[in-house]
Amino acid sequence: KYIYYQDQDRYLRYQNGKTHIDYAVNKQISAGMVVVQRVQSWSLNDDKFRIGIKTVGEGEAVIFVRGKIVKAKWQKKSIESKTQFFDKNGDEINLTERPVWIEIVPEQNKVGFN
């Protein structure tokens, strides 16, 4: 979970209902931009319940920046290329609000936001 704090212009991260701390610096994890990248996934049918995910191709995304929600598309042409994000007009979205946190989420998983 992320909560946007306008006074800090940051999204602060929470995990399991608690502040998510980066213990290397003893601070709450925060981001200037959060990207939710929806991907295809499948079970690997192993005893660890792992899943495979498809990160080459294209799909839907939602980008949170400065308290705004931008519905987007992502595209990655090959394993060697970078993932690009595009707005509804097809213009590339630059991930400039550092740091950026990208959440890779299987398409079938629910993601709530308001």
Side-chain angles (χ1 to χ4, degrees):
K1 174 177 171 177
Y2 295 88
I3 297 177
Y4 180 68
Y5 291 88
Q6 187 173 6
D7 60 328
Q8 299 176 44
D9 193 24
R10 284 280 180 264
Y11 293 88
L12 299 184
R13 191 166 199 272
Y14 298 82
Q15 191 171 41
N16 299 321
K18 297 180 182 176
T19 300
H20 192 176
I21 300 294
D22 177 345
Y23 291 106
V25 293
N26 202 29
K27 284 185 163 183
Q28 184 172 10
I29 293 172
S30 70
M33 180 182 280
V34 177
V35 177
V36 177
Q37 181 179 341
R38 305 305 300 245
V39 297
Q40 293 177 2
S41 67
W42 58 93
S43 172
L44 295 178
N45 294 317
D46 65 10
D47 61 348
K48 295 185 171 83
F49 303 103
R50 293 179 295 178
I51 61 170
I53 58 171
K54 183 179 179 187
T55 58
V56 174
E58 56 187 40
E60 302 292 320
V62 180
I63 299 174
F64 301 87
V65 59
R66 296 194 171 144
K68 295 183 176 130
I69 299 167
V70 178
K71 292 192 177 186
K73 302 253 184 212
W74 65 268
Q75 181 181 68
K76 183 174 174 80
K77 294 182 180 179
S78 71
I79 195 73
E80 296 85 16
S81 66
K82 75 174 190 168
T83 303
Q84 296 173 286
F85 296 90
F86 300 93
D87 66 17
K88 65 181 177 182
N89 298 321
D91 296 322
E92 186 172 2
I93 299 169
N94 291 316
L95 305 182
T96 57
E97 302 295 325
R98 304 282 187 225
V100 177
W101 195 282
I102 300 178
E103 296 282 352
I104 305 292
V105 180
E107 291 173 329
Q108 67 273 17
N109 288 23
K110 278 183 135 181
V111 174
F113 56 90
N114 52 21

